[in-house]
Amino acid sequence: MAVSPAGKPQGCTHYKLRQLVREVSHYYDTEIGKAGLKGTQYALMGHVRKLGPVRLSDLAREMRLDASTLTRNLKPLTEAGWLRVEVGADGRSRLVTITEAGLAKYSEAQRYWKRAQERINQLFGAEQVIVLHELIDELLARLPQRS
Amino acid sequence: MAVSPAGKPQGCTHYKLRQLVREVSHYYDTEIGKAGLKGTQYALMGHVRKLGPVRLSDLAREMRLDASTLTRNLKPLTEAGWLRVEVGADGRSRLVTITEAGLAKYSEAQRYWKRAQERINQLFGAEQVIVLHELIDELLARLPQRS
DNA sequence: CTACAAAATTTGCATATGCAAACGTTAGGC
DNA sequence: GCCTAACGTTTGCATATGCAAATTTTGTAG
């Protein structure tokens, strides 16, 4: 087991994180891909499912994503009929909702997501995954909202 | 301080990691951008600098990147004259080297990188950053090489 | 009621990423 | 020496991501 000596962090946090996320993405994308979704699309649908009819900008803030990224990521999902985007009460805003077909697709993908998560738990050890999650939550909480 | 109860990990490792990496990237890209580089370009140049004339496929394995990604990421850097790609002894392979101009640009960017890293250390706490780095190294070590 | 500022989204541009297929080169078998 | 299999890189295709500028719609000051 590694110890944590007092001192300065070595190496680059940015690079290390990117390396890990690329590897981890692979497992999720491989599994969730069996349902015809990308990992990020699954996450997006999950958020829309939970947040119900939600304004684009609110969804962006919630997911810590740029609004323009969201606009584009929604496109293939609306075209597939899994999400719906409608004009809100305020004519400027758009409300995103998950459709019946979207719910079905999400449920299907959820089974594969579970397998990916279990594979990660197995590779990393459930204990370590818990530590990682808690650490990330803590770190994210320390970041100011940029929007 | 959060405790780590025995039990199953909650939430999605993939999504949490992506969220964090997006936020962290922001700080590095903002700083390193002042030198005219993206964070990923800085990391790439740093690897080429360290690994000297290196074959594309070896560099890809080292960085855990797909070779095709590397090919493309090299393009703007070679066009800027910071990296050079030449045919290797084996006519199939390509050797990547950093140029004089590249070394200068890297040194310049390094000052900004340092500021970004210090900002992250300050936001997260140096202790936590050390914990994060060690955790990532440990998790990466548990992943099989996919190439 | 009109002109202008503010808010919400979308578009244009650039990079990042991976997979599968194409391409060029090399090494072996015969 | 030639054909083929293997190797290393590049291309085509698709998504992911953010910033800055353009667009659309509101709201408000006069």
Side-chain angles (χ1 to χ4, degrees), chain B residues 45-55 59 84 95-98:
Chain B
M45 286 176 67
H47 274 79
V48 174
R49 173 172 162 275
K50 189 169 36 173
L51 301 175
V54 59
R55 291 194 329 154
L59 184 56
R84 186 172 35 235
L95 294 178
V96 192
T97 326
I98 190 165

Side-chain angles (χ1 to χ4, degrees), chain B residues 40 65-66 68-69 72-73 90-92:
Chain B
T40 51
L65 267 179
D66 190 89
S68 66
T69 300
R72 275 183 254 264
N73 290 0
D90 183 331
R92 289 169 295 189

Side-chain angles (χ1 to χ4, degrees), chain A residues 1-7, chain B residues 126-135 138:
Chain A
M1 262 316 157
V3 281
S4 305
Chain B
E127 284 297 318
Q128 294 287 68
V129 173
I130 291 173
V131 171
L132 179 64
H133 285 197
E134 287 177 351
L135 184 53
E138 215 176 304

